[in-house]
Amino acid sequence: MNKTELVEKIAAGAGLSKVDAKKALDATVAAIKDALVAGDKIALVGFGTFSVNERPAREGINPATKQKITIAAKKVAKFKAGAELADALN
């Protein structure tokens, strides 16, 4: 499912126009992004939890040259499915 299809599902499910559904989706995504950038955790009960995870610097190997390289530390977004979502999938 892409963003357009998701907007259509939201519009149909909530009885909104596609324009309003797109605005709501964009605002939701922006709010989640802003919270993660600030280092906050977002918990949506029944759906899951978004958080920021820090990966430490590590050593890797360039597959083309077989030389050792240093891979920089970075922050990554993490999602853990909630119990209701996990149960619905199984």
Side-chain angles (χ1 to χ4, degrees):
M1 176 181 288
N2 62 28
K3 185 175 179 179
T4 303
E5 294 167 340
L6 182 57
V7 167
E8 290 173 5
K9 288 271 191 184
I10 292 169
L16 299 172
S17 69
K18 288 182 185 177
V19 172
D20 289 340
K22 184 179 183 308
K23 287 179 185 177
L25 178 60
D26 290 343
T28 302
V29 169
I32 291 171
K33 178 182 167 187
D34 291 343
L36 290 175
V37 167
D40 293 338
K41 186 183 206 181
I42 299 100
L44 302 173
V45 177
F47 183 69
T49 304
F50 294 93
S51 61
V52 177
N53 214 15
E54 293 191 29
R55 289 192 182 161
R58 58 191 169 95
E59 198 171 88
I61 296 175
N62 181 336
T65 63
K66 306 296 185 216
Q67 290 181 334
K68 290 185 177 185
I69 57 172
T70 301
I71 300 170
K74 67 178 185 176
K75 294 179 182 180
V76 293
K78 179 180 169 186
F79 176 76
K80 182 172 190 258
E84 287 181 33
L85 178 59
D87 290 344
L89 297 175
N90 292 319

